[in-house]
Amino acid sequence: MRITSLSPALGAEITGVDVSGALSDADFSAVTQALHDHDGVLVLRDQNLSPDQHIKFSRRFGELFGETEPYQDTVTKYLLPGYPQIFRASNKIVEGEPQGRTRAGNYWHSDVSFRPRPAMVSILYAIEIPSIGGDTLFCNMYSAYERLSDPVQQFLSSLTSRHDFARNTNIGFSHENISAQDLEGGNAAEHPVVRTHPESGRRCLFVNPGNTSRILELHPRESDELLEFLFNHSVQEESIYRHRWSVNDLMIWDNRCVMHYAIADYDEDRYMHRTTVMGEKPV
Ligand code: SIN
Protein backbone atom coordinates (compact mmCIF):
# COMPACT_ATOMS: atom_id res chain seq x y z
CA MET A 1 0.00 0.00 0.00
CA ARG A 2 1.45 3.39 -1.03
CA ILE A 3 0.07 6.58 0.52
CA THR A 4 0.90 9.91 -1.15
CA SER A 5 -0.27 13.34 -0.08
CA LEU A 6 -2.51 15.07 -2.65
CA SER A 7 -2.22 18.69 -1.55
CA PRO A 8 -0.92 20.78 1.36
CA ALA A 9 -4.56 21.49 2.30
CA LEU A 10 -5.77 17.92 2.84
CA GLY A 11 -6.12 14.55 1.16
CA ALA A 12 -4.04 11.54 0.17
CA GLU A 13 -4.02 8.94 -2.56
CA ILE A 14 -3.66 5.23 -1.88
CA THR A 15 -2.51 2.76 -4.50
CA GLY A 16 -1.76 -0.93 -4.10
CA VAL A 17 -4.84 -1.89 -2.13
CA ASP A 18 -7.93 -3.76 -3.34
CA VAL A 19 -11.03 -3.28 -1.19
CA SER A 20 -13.31 -5.56 -3.24
CA GLY A 21 -12.44 -8.68 -1.23
CA ALA A 22 -11.41 -9.62 2.25
CA LEU A 23 -9.35 -6.63 3.38
CA SER A 24 -7.32 -7.58 6.47
CA ASP A 25 -7.94 -5.68 9.72
CA ALA A 26 -4.37 -4.33 9.49
CA ASP A 27 -4.97 -2.95 5.98
CA PHE A 28 -8.33 -1.48 6.99
CA SER A 29 -6.64 0.21 9.98
CA ALA A 30 -3.94 1.60 7.67
CA VAL A 31 -6.70 3.09 5.44
CA THR A 32 -8.54 4.71 8.37
CA GLN A 33 -5.26 5.99 9.85
CA ALA A 34 -4.37 7.57 6.49
CA LEU A 35 -7.83 9.17 6.38
CA HIS A 36 -7.25 10.82 9.78
CA ASP A 37 -3.59 11.69 9.04
CA HIS A 38 -4.66 13.55 5.88
CA ASP A 39 -7.51 15.47 7.53
CA GLY A 40 -10.40 13.42 6.16
CA VAL A 41 -9.97 12.87 2.40
CA LEU A 42 -8.61 9.76 0.65
CA VAL A 43 -8.80 8.40 -2.86
CA LEU A 44 -8.23 4.69 -3.41
CA ARG A 45 -7.24 4.26 -7.06
CA ASP A 46 -8.08 1.43 -9.46
CA GLN A 47 -10.92 -0.21 -7.56
CA ASN A 48 -13.35 -2.61 -9.26
CA LEU A 49 -16.45 -2.82 -7.15
CA SER A 50 -19.89 -4.33 -7.58
CA PRO A 51 -22.66 -2.63 -5.54
CA ASP A 52 -22.48 -5.51 -3.01
CA GLN A 53 -18.70 -5.13 -2.61
CA HIS A 54 -19.06 -1.35 -2.24
CA ILE A 55 -21.63 -1.86 0.54
CA LYS A 56 -19.55 -4.55 2.24
CA PHE A 57 -16.44 -2.35 2.34
CA SER A 58 -18.49 0.66 3.54
CA ARG A 59 -19.94 -1.38 6.43
CA ARG A 60 -16.42 -1.75 7.84
CA PHE A 61 -16.80 1.91 8.91
CA GLY A 62 -20.26 1.49 10.48
CA GLU A 63 -24.00 1.42 9.86
CA LEU A 64 -25.14 2.81 6.49
CA PHE A 65 -27.91 5.27 5.67
CA GLY A 66 -30.60 3.32 3.84
CA GLU A 67 -30.42 0.42 6.31
CA THR A 68 -31.80 1.08 9.81
CA GLU A 69 -32.34 4.77 9.04
CA PRO A 70 -33.55 5.74 5.56
CA TYR A 71 -32.34 8.68 3.48
CA GLN A 72 -34.85 11.56 3.31
CA ASP A 73 -37.93 10.49 1.29
CA THR A 74 -37.29 12.75 -1.74
CA VAL A 75 -33.94 11.02 -2.23
CA THR A 76 -35.51 7.56 -2.55
CA LYS A 77 -35.96 7.93 -6.31
CA TYR A 78 -32.21 8.44 -6.76
CA LEU A 79 -31.19 5.22 -5.02
CA LEU A 80 -29.90 2.28 -7.03
CA PRO A 81 -32.84 -0.11 -7.59
CA GLY A 82 -32.50 -3.00 -5.14
CA TYR A 83 -29.83 -1.17 -3.10
CA PRO A 84 -31.37 1.30 -0.60
CA GLN A 85 -27.82 2.10 0.66
CA ILE A 86 -26.53 3.39 -2.71
CA PHE A 87 -27.27 6.95 -3.85
CA ARG A 88 -26.67 7.61 -7.56
CA ALA A 89 -25.00 10.95 -8.30
CA SER A 90 -25.60 10.78 -12.04
CA ASN A 91 -26.83 12.57 -15.14
CA LYS A 92 -26.61 9.38 -17.22
CA ILE A 93 -29.65 7.62 -18.63
CA VAL A 94 -29.19 3.95 -17.72
CA GLU A 95 -31.58 1.27 -18.95
CA GLY A 96 -33.59 -0.19 -16.07
CA GLU A 97 -32.77 2.70 -13.71
CA PRO A 98 -34.77 5.86 -13.05
CA GLN A 99 -32.92 9.14 -13.62
CA GLY A 100 -30.21 9.63 -10.98
CA ARG A 101 -29.62 12.88 -9.09
CA THR A 102 -28.18 15.35 -11.61
CA ARG A 103 -26.02 18.19 -10.20
CA ALA A 104 -25.87 16.32 -6.86
CA GLY A 105 -24.02 18.28 -4.22
CA ASN A 106 -23.46 21.37 -6.38
CA TYR A 107 -22.98 23.55 -3.26
CA TRP A 108 -20.71 23.39 -0.19
CA HIS A 109 -22.10 20.92 2.32
CA SER A 110 -21.46 18.09 4.74
CA ASP A 111 -23.60 15.04 3.96
CA VAL A 112 -26.80 14.54 5.97
CA SER A 113 -25.81 17.15 8.59
CA PHE A 114 -29.55 17.76 9.15
CA ARG A 115 -29.95 14.50 11.10
CA PRO A 116 -29.29 14.04 14.85
CA ARG A 117 -26.61 11.53 13.83
CA PRO A 118 -25.09 13.07 10.67
CA ALA A 119 -22.85 11.23 8.24
CA MET A 120 -19.44 9.97 9.27
CA VAL A 121 -17.79 9.09 5.96
CA SER A 122 -19.21 9.10 2.43
CA ILE A 123 -17.70 6.67 -0.07
CA LEU A 124 -18.13 7.68 -3.73
CA TYR A 125 -17.20 5.34 -6.57
CA ALA A 126 -16.55 6.79 -10.03
CA ILE A 127 -18.03 4.51 -12.70
CA GLU A 128 -18.12 6.99 -15.60
CA ILE A 129 -16.63 10.47 -15.77
CA PRO A 130 -16.68 13.28 -18.35
CA SER A 131 -13.53 13.75 -20.47
CA ILE A 132 -13.14 17.13 -18.76
CA GLY A 133 -14.90 18.75 -15.79
CA GLY A 134 -17.01 17.25 -13.02
CA ASP A 135 -14.28 17.72 -10.39
CA THR A 136 -15.16 17.71 -6.67
CA LEU A 137 -13.78 20.23 -4.16
CA PHE A 138 -12.99 19.32 -0.54
CA CYS A 139 -12.52 21.88 2.23
CA ASN A 140 -10.60 21.29 5.47
CA MET A 141 -12.78 22.35 8.42
CA TYR A 142 -10.00 21.73 10.96
CA SER A 143 -7.93 24.43 9.31
CA ALA A 144 -11.02 26.67 9.01
CA TYR A 145 -11.28 26.51 12.82
CA GLU A 146 -7.53 26.74 13.47
CA ARG A 147 -7.19 29.87 11.30
CA LEU A 148 -9.55 31.79 13.65
CA SER A 149 -8.22 33.86 16.57
CA ASP A 150 -8.50 32.46 20.13
CA PRO A 151 -11.36 34.77 21.23
CA VAL A 152 -13.42 33.93 18.13
CA GLN A 153 -12.75 30.20 18.62
CA GLN A 154 -13.96 30.52 22.20
CA PHE A 155 -17.07 32.48 21.25
CA LEU A 156 -18.01 29.97 18.52
CA SER A 157 -17.50 27.08 20.93
CA SER A 158 -20.42 28.39 23.02
CA LEU A 159 -22.87 28.30 20.06
CA THR A 160 -25.35 25.84 18.59
CA SER A 161 -26.72 25.82 15.06
CA ARG A 162 -29.72 24.39 13.27
CA HIS A 163 -29.13 22.22 10.19
CA ASP A 164 -32.17 21.86 7.98
CA PHE A 165 -32.60 19.99 4.68
CA ALA A 166 -35.36 22.45 3.71
CA ARG A 167 -32.64 25.15 3.59
CA ASN A 168 -31.68 23.69 0.23
CA THR A 169 -34.58 25.69 -1.24
CA ASN A 170 -32.63 28.85 -0.37
CA ILE A 171 -29.61 27.86 -2.42
CA GLY A 172 -31.29 26.99 -5.69
CA PHE A 173 -32.11 23.34 -5.00
CA SER A 174 -35.32 22.54 -6.86
CA HIS A 175 -38.49 22.47 -4.79
CA GLU A 176 -39.43 19.06 -6.16
CA ASN A 177 -36.70 17.66 -3.90
CA ILE A 178 -38.08 19.20 -0.73
CA SER A 179 -41.07 17.43 0.80
CA ALA A 180 -43.79 18.74 3.12
CA GLN A 181 -42.07 16.69 5.83
CA ASP A 182 -38.80 18.61 5.21
CA LEU A 183 -40.58 21.97 5.32
CA GLU A 184 -42.12 20.98 8.66
CA GLY A 185 -38.66 20.29 10.12
CA GLY A 186 -38.69 16.50 9.60
CA ASN A 187 -35.07 16.64 8.47
CA ALA A 188 -33.59 19.13 10.90
CA ALA A 189 -31.24 18.88 13.88
CA GLU A 190 -29.24 21.08 16.25
CA HIS A 191 -25.45 20.70 16.55
CA PRO A 192 -22.54 22.55 18.15
CA VAL A 193 -20.92 25.11 15.83
CA VAL A 194 -17.52 23.68 16.83
CA ARG A 195 -17.24 19.91 17.25
CA THR A 196 -14.48 17.63 18.48
CA HIS A 197 -13.61 14.83 16.12
CA PRO A 198 -13.99 11.58 18.10
CA GLU A 199 -10.97 9.87 16.52
CA SER A 200 -8.44 12.68 16.10
CA GLY A 201 -9.51 14.61 19.22
CA ARG A 202 -9.14 17.84 17.19
CA ARG A 203 -11.70 20.63 17.01
CA CYS A 204 -13.26 21.76 13.73
CA LEU A 205 -16.00 24.07 12.47
CA PHE A 206 -19.26 22.24 11.82
CA VAL A 207 -21.45 24.59 9.78
CA ASN A 208 -22.07 24.41 6.03
CA PRO A 209 -23.88 26.61 3.49
CA GLY A 210 -26.01 23.71 2.22
CA ASN A 211 -27.76 22.87 5.46
CA THR A 212 -26.94 25.28 8.31
CA SER A 213 -29.80 27.75 8.60
CA ARG A 214 -29.45 29.48 11.95
CA ILE A 215 -27.26 30.02 15.03
CA LEU A 216 -29.74 29.58 17.82
CA GLU A 217 -28.27 31.84 20.52
CA LEU A 218 -28.05 34.91 18.22
CA HIS A 219 -30.56 37.36 16.79
CA PRO A 220 -31.50 36.42 13.19
CA ARG A 221 -29.43 39.20 11.63
CA GLU A 222 -26.39 38.39 13.78
CA SER A 223 -26.81 34.74 12.87
CA ASP A 224 -27.04 35.47 9.11
CA GLU A 225 -23.96 37.68 9.17
CA LEU A 226 -21.87 35.34 11.31
CA LEU A 227 -22.78 32.34 9.14
CA GLU A 228 -21.90 34.26 6.00
CA PHE A 229 -18.53 35.16 7.53
CA LEU A 230 -17.87 31.53 8.56
CA PHE A 231 -18.84 30.14 5.14
CA ASN A 232 -16.55 32.61 3.31
CA HIS A 233 -13.75 32.15 5.82
CA SER A 234 -13.89 28.33 5.55
CA VAL A 235 -13.48 28.09 1.79
CA GLN A 236 -10.23 30.03 1.49
CA GLU A 237 -8.19 28.50 -1.33
CA GLU A 238 -5.43 27.32 1.04
CA SER A 239 -7.94 24.96 2.72
CA ILE A 240 -9.16 23.32 -0.50
CA TYR A 241 -8.21 20.24 -2.51
CA ARG A 242 -9.74 19.87 -6.00
CA HIS A 243 -10.14 16.27 -7.11
CA ARG A 244 -9.88 15.47 -10.81
CA TRP A 245 -11.57 12.08 -11.10
CA SER A 246 -10.33 8.94 -12.83
CA VAL A 247 -12.64 6.01 -13.53
CA ASN A 248 -12.47 3.46 -10.66
CA ASP A 249 -11.50 6.06 -8.07
CA LEU A 250 -13.07 5.31 -4.70
CA MET A 251 -13.17 8.56 -2.75
CA ILE A 252 -13.66 8.53 1.02
CA TRP A 253 -14.29 11.76 2.89
CA ASP A 254 -15.01 12.39 6.54
CA ASN A 255 -18.06 14.67 6.76
CA ARG A 256 -17.24 15.49 10.39
CA CYS A 257 -14.23 17.62 9.38
CA VAL A 258 -14.66 18.18 5.62
CA MET A 259 -17.15 20.01 3.37
CA HIS A 260 -17.43 19.15 -0.33
CA TYR A 261 -18.77 20.72 -3.52
CA ALA A 262 -19.42 18.92 -6.83
CA ILE A 263 -18.72 21.24 -9.78
CA ALA A 264 -21.50 21.00 -12.41
CA ASP A 265 -19.50 22.19 -15.44
CA TYR A 266 -19.88 19.25 -17.86
CA ASP A 267 -22.31 17.95 -20.50
CA GLU A 268 -21.00 14.41 -20.91
CA ASP A 269 -22.15 11.48 -18.78
CA ARG A 270 -20.98 11.29 -15.17
CA TYR A 271 -22.13 8.27 -13.16
CA MET A 272 -21.19 7.61 -9.54
CA HIS A 273 -22.43 5.44 -6.65
CA ARG A 274 -22.25 6.74 -3.08
CA THR A 275 -22.68 5.01 0.25
CA THR A 276 -23.01 7.10 3.40
CA VAL A 277 -21.96 5.82 6.83
CA MET A 278 -23.87 7.08 9.86
CA GLY A 279 -21.83 8.93 12.44
CA GLU A 280 -22.37 9.79 16.09
CA LYS A 281 -24.15 12.76 17.69
CA PRO A 282 -21.68 15.68 17.34
CA VAL A 283 -20.18 17.05 20.57
C1 SIN B 1 -22.11 14.50 -3.24
O1 SIN B 1 -22.39 15.60 -2.81
O2 SIN B 1 -22.06 13.51 -2.51
C2 SIN B 1 -21.77 14.32 -4.71
C3 SIN B 1 -20.32 14.55 -4.94
C4 SIN B 1 -19.95 14.39 -6.38
O3 SIN B 1 -20.79 13.95 -7.19
O4 SIN B 1 -18.81 14.70 -6.72
mmCIF file of all heavy atoms in Angstrom, residues 62-88:
data_model
loop_
_atom_site.group_PDB
_atom_site.id
_atom_site.type_symbol
_atom_site.label_atom_id
_atom_site.label_comp_id
_atom_site.label_asym_id
_atom_site.label_seq_id
_atom_site.Cartn_x
_atom_site.Cartn_y
_atom_site.Cartn_z
ATOM 1 N N GLY A 62 -19.097 1.391 9.593
ATOM 2 C CA GLY A 62 -20.261 1.490 10.478
ATOM 3 C C GLY A 62 -21.548 1.271 9.708
ATOM 4 O O GLY A 62 -21.560 0.829 8.557
ATOM 5 N N GLU A 63 -22.642 1.610 10.386
ATOM 6 C CA GLU A 63 -23.999 1.424 9.855
ATOM 7 C C GLU A 63 -24.236 2.405 8.683
ATOM 8 O O GLU A 63 -23.799 3.556 8.759
ATOM 9 C CB GLU A 63 -24.904 1.832 11.016
ATOM 10 C CG GLU A 63 -26.255 1.273 11.117
ATOM 11 C CD GLU A 63 -26.927 1.865 12.376
ATOM 12 O OE1 GLU A 63 -26.229 2.152 13.375
ATOM 13 O OE2 GLU A 63 -28.130 2.055 12.306
ATOM 14 N N LEU A 64 -24.957 1.954 7.669
ATOM 15 C CA LEU A 64 -25.142 2.807 6.488
ATOM 16 C C LEU A 64 -26.526 3.454 6.464
ATOM 17 O O LEU A 64 -27.515 2.819 6.856
ATOM 18 C CB LEU A 64 -24.985 1.977 5.206
ATOM 19 C CG LEU A 64 -23.704 1.171 5.066
ATOM 20 C CD1 LEU A 64 -23.643 0.518 3.688
ATOM 21 C CD2 LEU A 64 -22.476 2.045 5.279
ATOM 22 N N PHE A 65 -26.597 4.698 5.973
ATOM 23 C CA PHE A 65 -27.910 5.271 5.673
ATOM 24 C C PHE A 65 -28.560 4.374 4.618
ATOM 25 O O PHE A 65 -27.901 3.846 3.734
ATOM 26 C CB PHE A 65 -27.789 6.708 5.143
ATOM 27 C CG PHE A 65 -27.582 7.712 6.250
ATOM 28 C CD1 PHE A 65 -26.320 8.189 6.537
ATOM 29 C CD2 PHE A 65 -28.658 8.150 7.017
ATOM 30 C CE1 PHE A 65 -26.122 9.104 7.569
ATOM 31 C CE2 PHE A 65 -28.472 9.053 8.058
ATOM 32 C CZ PHE A 65 -27.205 9.532 8.329
ATOM 33 N N GLY A 66 -29.877 4.205 4.757
ATOM 34 C CA GLY A 66 -30.598 3.318 3.841
ATOM 35 C C GLY A 66 -30.823 1.949 4.457
ATOM 36 O O GLY A 66 -31.534 1.125 3.893
ATOM 37 N N GLU A 67 -30.199 1.703 5.623
ATOM 38 C CA GLU A 67 -30.424 0.418 6.309
ATOM 39 C C GLU A 67 -31.376 0.671 7.469
ATOM 40 O O GLU A 67 -32.573 0.797 7.265
ATOM 41 C CB GLU A 67 -29.083 -0.193 6.729
ATOM 42 C CG GLU A 67 -28.258 -0.518 5.488
ATOM 43 C CD GLU A 67 -26.970 -1.274 5.737
ATOM 44 O OE1 GLU A 67 -26.327 -1.089 6.775
ATOM 45 O OE2 GLU A 67 -26.594 -2.062 4.841
ATOM 46 N N THR A 68 -30.868 0.835 8.701
ATOM 47 C CA THR A 68 -31.802 1.080 9.808
ATOM 48 C C THR A 68 -32.478 2.446 9.694
ATOM 49 O O THR A 68 -33.630 2.608 10.043
ATOM 50 C CB THR A 68 -31.076 0.983 11.167
ATOM 51 O OG1 THR A 68 -29.865 1.697 11.075
ATOM 52 C CG2 THR A 68 -30.821 -0.437 11.560
ATOM 53 N N GLU A 69 -31.750 3.434 9.197
ATOM 54 C CA GLU A 69 -32.340 4.771 9.041
ATOM 55 C C GLU A 69 -32.330 5.136 7.563
ATOM 56 O O GLU A 69 -31.275 5.141 6.929
ATOM 57 C CB GLU A 69 -31.529 5.797 9.865
ATOM 58 C CG GLU A 69 -32.093 7.186 9.755
ATOM 59 C CD GLU A 69 -31.482 8.150 10.784
ATOM 60 O OE1 GLU A 69 -31.082 7.727 11.892
ATOM 61 O OE2 GLU A 69 -31.413 9.342 10.441
ATOM 62 N N PRO A 70 -33.522 5.448 6.989
ATOM 63 C CA PRO A 70 -33.548 5.742 5.556
ATOM 64 C C PRO A 70 -32.976 7.119 5.239
ATOM 65 O O PRO A 70 -32.864 7.978 6.102
ATOM 66 C CB PRO A 70 -35.044 5.702 5.225
ATOM 67 C CG PRO A 70 -35.737 6.009 6.505
ATOM 68 C CD PRO A 70 -34.844 5.551 7.617
ATOM 69 N N TYR A 71 -32.614 7.330 3.975
ATOM 70 C CA TYR A 71 -32.340 8.684 3.479
ATOM 71 C C TYR A 71 -33.667 9.455 3.518
ATOM 72 O O TYR A 71 -34.744 8.858 3.643
ATOM 73 C CB TYR A 71 -31.864 8.629 2.028
ATOM 74 C CG TYR A 71 -30.447 8.123 1.824
ATOM 75 C CD1 TYR A 71 -30.192 6.815 1.443
ATOM 76 C CD2 TYR A 71 -29.365 8.980 1.966
ATOM 77 C CE1 TYR A 71 -28.898 6.362 1.220
ATOM 78 C CE2 TYR A 71 -28.064 8.537 1.754
ATOM 79 C CZ TYR A 71 -27.844 7.232 1.384
ATOM 80 O OH TYR A 71 -26.563 6.785 1.168
ATOM 81 N N GLN A 72 -33.621 10.765 3.356
ATOM 82 C CA GLN A 72 -34.854 11.555 3.311
ATOM 83 C C GLN A 72 -35.706 11.078 2.123
ATOM 84 O O GLN A 72 -35.165 10.639 1.111
ATOM 85 C CB GLN A 72 -34.565 13.066 3.278
ATOM 86 C CG GLN A 72 -33.704 13.584 2.148
ATOM 87 C CD GLN A 72 -32.220 13.478 2.419
ATOM 88 O OE1 GLN A 72 -31.767 12.537 3.048
ATOM 89 N NE2 GLN A 72 -31.457 14.421 1.911
ATOM 90 N N ASP A 73 -37.060 11.179 2.256
ATOM 91 C CA ASP A 73 -37.926 10.490 1.291
ATOM 92 C C ASP A 73 -37.772 10.976 -0.144
ATOM 93 O O ASP A 73 -37.922 10.212 -1.084
ATOM 94 C CB ASP A 73 -39.399 10.494 1.742
ATOM 95 C CG ASP A 73 -39.900 11.872 2.102
ATOM 96 O OD1 ASP A 73 -39.160 12.845 1.912
ATOM 97 O OD2 ASP A 73 -41.056 11.976 2.563
ATOM 98 N N THR A 74 -37.423 12.266 -0.352
ATOM 99 C CA THR A 74 -37.291 12.752 -1.736
ATOM 100 C C THR A 74 -36.035 12.219 -2.422
ATOM 101 O O THR A 74 -35.864 12.398 -3.621
ATOM 102 C CB THR A 74 -37.267 14.299 -1.777
ATOM 103 O OG1 THR A 74 -36.330 14.756 -0.811
ATOM 104 C CG2 THR A 74 -38.629 14.888 -1.488
ATOM 105 N N VAL A 75 -35.173 11.574 -1.654
ATOM 106 C CA VAL A 75 -33.943 11.019 -2.235
ATOM 107 C C VAL A 75 -34.170 9.583 -2.729
ATOM 108 O O VAL A 75 -33.419 9.067 -3.551
ATOM 109 C CB VAL A 75 -32.803 11.105 -1.177
ATOM 110 C CG1 VAL A 75 -31.640 10.189 -1.487
ATOM 111 C CG2 VAL A 75 -32.301 12.544 -1.065
ATOM 112 N N THR A 76 -35.265 8.978 -2.263
ATOM 113 C CA THR A 76 -35.510 7.561 -2.553
ATOM 114 C C THR A 76 -35.427 7.266 -4.055
ATOM 115 O O THR A 76 -34.873 6.251 -4.467
ATOM 116 C CB THR A 76 -36.905 7.164 -2.011
ATOM 117 O OG1 THR A 76 -36.963 7.629 -0.674
ATOM 118 C CG2 THR A 76 -37.122 5.678 -2.029
ATOM 119 N N LYS A 77 -35.937 8.199 -4.868
ATOM 120 C CA LYS A 77 -35.960 7.929 -6.314
ATOM 121 C C LYS A 77 -34.558 7.912 -6.940
ATOM 122 O O LYS A 77 -34.382 7.453 -8.057
ATOM 123 C CB LYS A 77 -36.850 8.944 -7.038
ATOM 124 C CG LYS A 77 -36.466 10.402 -6.858
ATOM 125 C CD LYS A 77 -37.491 11.293 -7.590
ATOM 126 C CE LYS A 77 -37.232 12.777 -7.416
ATOM 127 N NZ LYS A 77 -37.555 13.272 -6.069
ATOM 128 N N TYR A 78 -33.570 8.418 -6.217
ATOM 129 C CA TYR A 78 -32.206 8.444 -6.761
ATOM 130 C C TYR A 78 -31.360 7.250 -6.311
ATOM 131 O O TYR A 78 -30.182 7.161 -6.639
ATOM 132 C CB TYR A 78 -31.491 9.743 -6.344
ATOM 133 C CG TYR A 78 -32.230 10.984 -6.793
ATOM 134 C CD1 TYR A 78 -32.548 11.986 -5.886
ATOM 135 C CD2 TYR A 78 -32.626 11.139 -8.116
ATOM 136 C CE1 TYR A 78 -33.236 13.113 -6.295
ATOM 137 C CE2 TYR A 78 -33.316 12.262 -8.527
ATOM 138 C CZ TYR A 78 -33.618 13.245 -7.613
ATOM 139 O OH TYR A 78 -34.295 14.352 -8.018
ATOM 140 N N LEU A 79 -31.955 6.374 -5.512
ATOM 141 C CA LEU A 79 -31.188 5.221 -5.021
ATOM 142 C C LEU A 79 -31.097 4.163 -6.120
ATOM 143 O O LEU A 79 -31.947 4.115 -7.025
ATOM 144 C CB LEU A 79 -31.839 4.666 -3.758
ATOM 145 C CG LEU A 79 -31.987 5.685 -2.609
ATOM 146 C CD1 LEU A 79 -32.730 5.067 -1.421
ATOM 147 C CD2 LEU A 79 -30.627 6.224 -2.162
ATOM 148 N N LEU A 80 -30.069 3.341 -6.038
ATOM 149 C CA LEU A 80 -29.901 2.277 -7.030
ATOM 150 C C LEU A 80 -30.979 1.221 -6.789
ATOM 151 O O LEU A 80 -31.090 0.708 -5.662
ATOM 152 C CB LEU A 80 -28.492 1.674 -6.875
ATOM 153 C CG LEU A 80 -28.109 0.588 -7.872
ATOM 154 C CD1 LEU A 80 -28.041 1.141 -9.297
ATOM 155 C CD2 LEU A 80 -26.753 -0.023 -7.484
ATOM 156 N N PRO A 81 -31.783 0.881 -7.819
ATOM 157 C CA PRO A 81 -32.845 -0.106 -7.592
ATOM 158 C C PRO A 81 -32.287 -1.379 -6.935
ATOM 159 O O PRO A 81 -31.285 -1.925 -7.381
ATOM 160 C CB PRO A 81 -33.389 -0.380 -9.002
ATOM 161 C CG PRO A 81 -33.095 0.883 -9.756
ATOM 162 C CD PRO A 81 -31.793 1.405 -9.197
ATOM 163 N N GLY A 82 -32.932 -1.790 -5.856
ATOM 164 C CA GLY A 82 -32.505 -2.996 -5.137
ATOM 165 C C GLY A 82 -31.429 -2.732 -4.101
ATOM 166 O O GLY A 82 -31.053 -3.641 -3.352
ATOM 167 N N TYR A 83 -30.914 -1.496 -4.046
ATOM 168 C CA TYR A 83 -29.834 -1.166 -3.101
ATOM 169 C C TYR A 83 -30.164 0.140 -2.365
ATOM 170 O O TYR A 83 -29.712 1.219 -2.771
ATOM 171 C CB TYR A 83 -28.492 -1.014 -3.837
ATOM 172 C CG TYR A 83 -27.992 -2.304 -4.420
ATOM 173 C CD1 TYR A 83 -28.285 -2.648 -5.737
ATOM 174 C CD2 TYR A 83 -27.252 -3.191 -3.651
ATOM 175 C CE1 TYR A 83 -27.842 -3.844 -6.274
ATOM 176 C CE2 TYR A 83 -26.799 -4.390 -4.177
ATOM 177 C CZ TYR A 83 -27.098 -4.710 -5.484
ATOM 178 O OH TYR A 83 -26.658 -5.894 -6.008
ATOM 179 N N PRO A 84 -30.958 0.072 -1.293
ATOM 180 C CA PRO A 84 -31.366 1.301 -0.597
ATOM 181 C C PRO A 84 -30.199 2.039 0.058
ATOM 182 O O PRO A 84 -30.353 3.170 0.506
ATOM 183 C CB PRO A 84 -32.356 0.784 0.464
ATOM 184 C CG PRO A 84 -32.057 -0.663 0.627
ATOM 185 C CD PRO A 84 -31.518 -1.148 -0.697
ATOM 186 N N GLN A 85 -29.012 1.438 0.074
ATOM 187 C CA GLN A 85 -27.824 2.097 0.661
ATOM 188 C C GLN A 85 -27.076 2.934 -0.370
ATOM 189 O O GLN A 85 -26.180 3.695 -0.009
ATOM 190 C CB GLN A 85 -26.824 1.049 1.188
ATOM 191 C CG GLN A 85 -27.369 0.034 2.140
ATOM 192 C CD GLN A 85 -27.876 -1.213 1.412
ATOM 193 O OE1 GLN A 85 -28.209 -1.194 0.233
ATOM 194 N NE2 GLN A 85 -27.949 -2.311 2.143
ATOM 195 N N ILE A 86 -27.365 2.745 -1.677
ATOM 196 C CA ILE A 86 -26.535 3.391 -2.712
ATOM 197 C C ILE A 86 -27.280 4.530 -3.396
ATOM 198 O O ILE A 86 -28.312 4.319 -4.052
ATOM 199 C CB ILE A 86 -26.033 2.352 -3.736
ATOM 200 C CG1 ILE A 86 -25.075 1.369 -3.035
ATOM 201 C CG2 ILE A 86 -25.323 3.048 -4.912
ATOM 202 C CD1 ILE A 86 -24.385 0.383 -3.950
ATOM 203 N N PHE A 87 -26.730 5.738 -3.221
ATOM 204 C CA PHE A 87 -27.266 6.949 -3.847
ATOM 205 C C PHE A 87 -26.542 7.124 -5.176
ATOM 206 O O PHE A 87 -25.318 6.971 -5.244
ATOM 207 C CB PHE A 87 -26.985 8.128 -2.902
ATOM 208 C CG PHE A 87 -27.271 9.479 -3.468
ATOM 209 C CD1 PHE A 87 -28.575 9.943 -3.563
ATOM 210 C CD2 PHE A 87 -26.235 10.302 -3.900
ATOM 211 C CE1 PHE A 87 -28.843 11.199 -4.080
ATOM 212 C CE2 PHE A 87 -26.491 11.565 -4.415
ATOM 213 C CZ PHE A 87 -27.801 12.011 -4.513
ATOM 214 N N ARG A 88 -27.302 7.412 -6.254
ATOM 215 C CA ARG A 88 -26.675 7.608 -7.561
ATOM 216 C C ARG A 88 -26.534 9.103 -7.862
ATOM 217 O O ARG A 88 -27.533 9.797 -8.034
ATOM 218 C CB ARG A 88 -27.510 6.950 -8.669
ATOM 219 C CG ARG A 88 -27.519 5.417 -8.587
ATOM 220 C CD ARG A 88 -28.566 4.817 -9.493
ATOM 221 N NE ARG A 88 -29.871 5.378 -9.201
ATOM 222 C CZ ARG A 88 -30.715 5.867 -10.104
ATOM 223 N NH1 ARG A 88 -30.422 5.850 -11.385
ATOM 224 N NH2 ARG A 88 -31.879 6.359 -9.733
#
